[in-house]
Amino acid sequence: MKYLLVEDNMDLANAISSRIRLDGHIVDHAAKIADATAFASTGDYDLILLDIMLPDGDGRSFLKQQRAAQNDTPIIVLTARSQVSDRISMLDLGADDYVTKPFDHSELQARCRAVLRRKSGSAQSVLTVGDVEFDTLAGHLSVKGQSINLRNRELRLLELLITSQGKVFSKQKLVDRLFSYDDDVSENAIEVYIGRLRKHLEGSRVQIKTLRGLGYRLDDDG
Amino acid sequence: MKYLLVEDNMDLANAISSRIRLDGHIVDHAAKIADATAFASTGDYDLILLDIMLPDGDGRSFLKQQRAAQNDTPIIVLTARSQVSDRISMLDLGADDYVTKPFDHSELQARCRAVLRRKSGSAQSVLTVGDVEFDTLAGHLSVKGQSINLRNRELRLLELLITSQGKVFSKQKLVDRLFSYDDDVSENAIEVYIGRLRKHLEGSRVQIKTLRGLGYRLDDDG
DNA sequence: TTGGGCATGACAGGTCCATGTCAGGTTGTT
DNA sequence: AACAACCTGACATGGACCTGTCATGCCCAA
């Protein structure tokens, strides 16, 4: 999963970011609304964590802006305890949930999971394609009943491909979704990971097709 | 578990050793019967893997020698495919099993487990002492139903103490059983590990007693 | 057949974790 | 009290694993 954290307090931002990374996710960080807007416009995020008090404006405007622009990426608002009335209006403006500061990480984690589950539609976390089963929550793959260990990056890549099974992803798109803004990574990294994933999927009906010049697609050749 | 591998072919010996170590066990290696006898006399091994063709004599003599000396450490013989008649006589001489070369590691592994299980008497692998449950096969500890993660060395130490619950182990004895001949380790390492194990056992009725000048003993204070 | 896109084995850097040592403190025995 | 045995927090080391790059070779299209 790729998170966008919008928060101007650097200490807090770093703390939250590192916890999210520990869970194996990617985080980009924006300290201003202007930056947040630029990041969000890529549409590469699965979840946005939004502080309301920001130096160049109110989180509310960002929220309105996003929803007006048809961006339905889940947004969780981080509010201070005092701003009670705000919290309700946040939900009205299209926020998916809010967490009152101070919070501990396990609470935030739980809210994130809940929101992601709600948005992804299905209550269940196990996706099945052909003879492949993928548990998005546990991050676990099994092929023909055989359990297979994936490394984190392989996992995230497979998650992308399998949740939009049949869709074509360009290498650049995959880079954008799998890496944070400031690591800059060659597209070859994607080729390498596709190769590694293919190795894991050997013997399965499910395979990753190369569309020369376009990208990759997960197919079920049943 | 501590293994003694008696094998003169260095390549094969190294291959087998490293696989055994990967399983978290200790291996000492002897290339000659003379060395093997010296090693085995310590009685610190849980299992002996014995090649028959050795430069300074026949594995048979070693086997006879050990059994005559009342050493009932399990012995698995490694034979070449041709030596058919030998294999039966091996069992008569007191071998517990044999494996014909070439074999793959999973086969050897399975035979070792089988022999160890047979020798330890109980078919079940879960030992219970007081409010502590220890699964020797899975290498897993739980205290009062709470699952606890142990590191490999802690596991092996606990395994020793719990399978001979009530017996006193001197620090030197523990070093001999937990480490291979060529790592030389201070007795302080044992003190450290006892301390770590005690931490894991906090809140349990079961505890490790210090017998000053003598060693350690696992007790159930129920 | 030529060139760009793609595949892949080998490798280097980094991170995480298990492990044993050390130093200094505590306990127990004489 | 004095000495040895023992305990323990902090640390250095090393190995295992993850990860992205590189170099090289393959493959497909024109």
Side-chain angles (χ1 to χ4, degrees), chain B residues 50-68:
Chain B
L50 176 66
D51 186 25
I52 343 181
M53 297 272 290
L54 290 164
D56 63 340
D58 192 303
R60 255 178 294 242
S61 60
F62 175 81
L63 193 45
K64 256 188 280 191
Q65 192 184 83
Q66 292 302 309
R67 294 314 184 210

Side-chain angles (χ1 to χ4, degrees), chain A residues 74-91:
Chain A
I75 297 181
I76 295 181
V77 174
L78 314 175
T79 79
R81 193 171 293 285
S82 60
Q83 302 151 317
V84 184
S85 62
D86 285 353
R87 292 187 271 171
I88 291 112
S89 66
M90 284 300 160
L91 296 184

Side-chain angles (χ1 to χ4, degrees), chain B residues 151-153 179 185-186 188-189 192-193 196 212:
Chain B
R151 294 175 265 191
N152 187 49
R153 272 278 144 71
F179 293 87
V185 182
S186 77
N188 177 251
V192 170
Y193 275 103
R196 288 174 184 163
R212 206 182 170 73

Side-chain angles (χ1 to χ4, degrees), chain A residues 73-129:
Chain A
T73 307
I75 297 181
I76 295 181
V77 174
L78 314 175
T79 79
R81 193 171 293 285
S82 60
Q83 302 151 317
V84 184
S85 62
D86 285 353
R87 292 187 271 171
I88 291 112
S89 66
M90 284 300 160
L91 296 184
D92 288 338
L93 287 175
D96 293 79
D97 202 349
Y98 58 80
V99 181
T100 53
K101 304 186 197 177
F103 50 84
D104 63 24
H105 185 68
S106 59
E107 182 184 349
L108 181 58
Q109 212 181 15
R111 301 261 184 181
C112 292
R113 270 202 304 271
V115 165
L116 287 169
R117 194 175 339 115
R118 215 183 303 151
K119 278 281 169 172
S120 79
S122 65
Q124 60 168 4
S125 64
V126 179
L127 295 169
T128 305
V129 173

Side-chain angles (χ1 to χ4, degrees), chain A residues 118-167:
Chain A
R118 215 183 303 151
K119 278 281 169 172
S120 79
S122 65
Q124 60 168 4
S125 64
V126 179
L127 295 169
T128 305
V129 173
D131 46 13
V132 162
E133 274 190 12
F134 185 69
D135 185 332
T136 53
L137 251 187
H140 179 261
L141 169 70
S142 67
V143 173
K144 295 186 184 177
Q146 280 274 303
S147 168
I148 292 183
N149 272 342
L150 292 185
R151 295 176 265 191
N152 188 48
R153 273 277 144 74
E154 296 168 357
L155 217 82
R156 306 297 160 191
L157 173 55
L158 178 58
E159 184 175 40
L160 267 182
L161 294 177
I162 209 171
T163 52
S164 301
Q165 191 243 315
K167 186 178 160 194

